[in-house]
Amino acid sequence: MQNIIPNLSLIVAVAQNWAIGKDNQLLWHISDDLKRFKALTTGHSVIMGRKTFESLPKKPLPNRQNIVITSSPDFEYEGVVVVNSIDQLIETIPTDQETFLIGGALLYSQLLPYVAKMYVTKVYKDFDADAFFPEIKEQEFRAINISPRQTDEKSGLQYEYIDYVRV
Ligand SMILES: NC(=O)c1ccc[n+]([C@@H]2O[C@H](COP(=O)([O-])OP(=O)(O)OC[C@H]3O[C@@H](n4cnc5c(N)ncnc54)[C@H](OP(=O)(O)O)[C@@H]3O)[C@@H](O)[C@H]2O)c1
């Protein structure tokens, strides 16, 4: 059994084929989902890989402590906490409040074993991609909330929100 970090959650928007990104960009724009992301993460620490950080249109994400992992010892950015290893990252996670892992693929796959909760936006379409979320194993996570399926007016994409907790 891994050492689950009780206050570590992840948040992700995944396609039907587990795609999450291509060319260091997101695959869709669903306004309601971005609003939900902001509402859930504001006031909390957010953890991300260096590539996801680079992809942000506005960085660092405002009103959140941004923690970025990179192998580069020289990387620095105003207002950002930089770490250089998973061990260092784990030590940096605040213990007194929910902290969100926000991507990307490399970070999700390395930290999934430590995550206690997942906020997943499931988009009901397959996408061509180069970044994918690891498969969610039903014996490890249980869905506790599933929203009604919704349709994004602009893109026509169908999606739903599923919250999972560790079994
Ligand atoms: N759909 C969603 O919800 C969602 C959310 C977030 C991101 N995304 C997408 O995901 C894609 C990016 O994912 P990605 O896997 O390519 O990149 P990533 O996970 O965001 O970042 C990878 C980088 O993080 C650093 N890193 C990772 N593990 C490390 C370790 N153990 N020690 C030190 N540094 C480490 C390295 O930076 P250095 O190269 O600097 O060493 C590595 O290149 C983009 O397309 C993005 O749009 C989607």
Side-chain angles (χ1 to χ4, degrees), residues 13 20-21 24-26 50 52 69-71 102 104-106 110:
I20 63 165
N24 212 28
Q25 294 296 316
L26 297 174
R50 193 265 309 162
T52 293
I69 184 169
T70 173
S71 60
I102 65 165
L106 210 51
Q110 291 174 90

Side-chain angles (χ1 to χ4, degrees), residues 71-102:
S71 60
S72 165
D74 302 326
F75 182 90
E76 55 181 56
Y77 201 98
E78 198 182 343
V80 170
V81 176
V82 179
V83 295
N84 297 122
S85 70
I86 294 291
D87 285 349
Q88 200 188 349
L89 175 58
I90 288 170
E91 281 170 25
T92 310
I93 295 172
T95 52
D96 57 346
Q97 57 148 287
E98 188 172 19
T99 295
F100 291 88
L101 169 63
I102 65 165

